[in-house]
Amino acid sequence: MTEPQETELLTLALRAAAEAVQAIMEVYQADADMGVIQKADNTPVTRADMASNERIVNVLSQSDIPILSEETAHEEYAVRSNHRQMWVVDPLDGTKEFIKRNDMFSVCIALVEEHRPTLGVIAIPTTGTVYFTQGGNAWRGTLSPLGEVLSPIKLPITFGPTPHVVLGSVSHPGEATRRVVDALSRLPGWDDVRLVPMGSSIKQCMIAEGSASIYPRSGTTMEWDTAAGQAIIEAAGGKLLNVADSSPVTYNRPDLRNPDFVAVSNSVSPSILSAAIAAVAAVQ
């Protein structure tokens, strides 16, 4: 992807995110009945998910790049496997948090090229904060209603050592997180490690900006849950690795379910990363 192409596609992704934020907040602020229904996989979907998805697809379709979204029908792998580029979208990541009205939800838009996430945008509707990649770097700013970024700051933000914080899921607490905290607490200098529960891809944004060190995850997540976050984490110097072989997670796979993974900030040492991966791998 050339620099002009990146600029054009990032502009589209930011505008799509801004449209999605508006659609989500219209429901969040005004709708007592969110229209919650259970999908076939027993996960919830709301009017906000569908409205956000419609607006994102309308904008991203201008690029003529195929779109893989959680809330639209998925092409068979025989078709997807031919896509050199593909948008990977979660129009409302953290639907359970949205329903709980705890503000821990986000919009995720990624561009995947040859199985790697090369562009990422994550917007947090309740704060207007946006995280994104540009020019090989990661950034945080404020997203305007028109998709412009105000007051961008390069990530990671360092004001000293990254806190010894392990992030866990609010709605999906797991054994992997507990094992990582226990393992790290026994290592030199990590006796102060603490667990912080957080919802949606906000966890990945915290890793990228350096406000947390490690996010381990065992159990079911999907490509749209991590693609944008991985692009942003990697642009900030961090990693999101497959526990099975310590390689970066790849995308547009035959199975859209993610492997178990560990995400780390740029300041995490190889020994700490290895200990975290081993702890997650021990979960059966």
Side-chain angles (χ1 to χ4, degrees):
M1 179 169 51
T2 65
E3 185 176 340
Q5 288 172 331
E6 179 190 39
T7 299
E8 179 182 356
L9 295 177
L10 177 60
T11 299
L12 272 183
L14 289 169
R15 183 154 59 85
E19 292 267 355
V21 164
Q22 181 179 354
I24 289 168
M25 293 308 292
E26 285 173 358
V27 177
Y28 196 60
Q29 293 173 337
D31 208 335
D33 177 7
M34 295 178 176
V36 182
I37 62 172
Q38 294 294 315
K39 296 189 288 187
D41 62 0
N42 204 34
T43 60
V45 65
T46 70
R47 274 197 287 275
D49 293 78
M50 303 314 296
S52 173
N53 186 70
E54 181 179 4
R55 297 204 192 184
I56 290 172
V57 170
N58 284 344
V59 175
L60 295 185
S61 294
Q62 298 173 33
S63 67
D64 292 325
I65 294 172
I67 302 169
L68 172 67
S69 171
E70 178 179 12
E71 305 304 345
T72 55
H74 304 152
E75 295 176 318
E76 296 292 335
Y77 183 66
V79 177
R80 282 194 291 111
S81 63
N82 296 313
H83 299 333
R84 189 184 69 82
Q85 292 181 309
M86 186 174 70
W87 293 108
V88 178
V89 173
D90 192 337
L92 177 48
D93 186 33
T95 300
K96 290 182 178 179
E97 315 314 324
F98 178 82
I99 294 169
K100 295 174 186 175
R101 296 186 181 273
N102 66 13
D103 294 356
M104 297 181 189
F105 50 88
S106 55
V107 174
C108 303
I109 300 172
L111 180 71
V112 168
E113 299 183 286
E114 305 293 353
H115 304 286
R116 300 286 298 145
T118 57
L119 183 154
V121 171
I122 296 177
I124 304 175
T126 55
T127 65
T129 305
V130 64
Y131 296 79
F132 63 101
T133 60
Q134 185 175 31
N137 296 304
W139 304 83
R140 185 187 75 189
T142 299
L143 186 64
S144 81
L146 298 178
E148 299 168 335
V149 177
L150 310 177
S151 305
I153 301 172
K154 186 178 176 182
L155 304 180
I157 302 168
T158 54
F159 299 101
T162 301
H164 292 167
V165 169
V166 175
L167 297 172
S169 174
V170 172
S171 293
H172 305 279
E175 178 70 8
T177 307
R178 186 190 66 79
R179 284 181 177 266
V180 169
V181 172
D182 288 348
L184 297 186
S185 68
R186 295 191 292 269
L187 299 180
W190 278 75
D191 57 315
D192 63 341
V193 63
R194 59 192 176 96
L195 170 63
V196 174
M198 184 58 61
S200 78
S201 60
I202 296 173
K203 294 184 288 293
Q204 295 161 63
C205 297
M206 293 174 67
I207 294 294
E209 71 184 6
S211 57
S213 295
I214 300 173
Y215 168 39
R217 185 62 188 263
S218 176
T220 302
T221 63
M222 306 298 288
E223 290 196 8
W224 45 79
D225 293 316
T226 56
Q230 182 170 343
I232 294 167
I233 288 171
E234 290 179 346
K239 298 179 175 70
L240 196 149
L241 302 179
N242 186 335
V243 164
D245 58 10
S246 299
S247 65
V249 172
T250 58
Y251 295 85
N252 197 12
R253 305 179 305 266
D255 186 350
L256 295 172
R257 290 174 297 182
N258 285 327
D260 293 348
F261 64 85
V262 172
V264 296
S265 69
N266 73 326
S267 65
V268 171
S269 69
S271 62
I272 296 299
L273 173 57
S274 295
I277 288 175
V280 177
V283 177
Q284 298 296 330

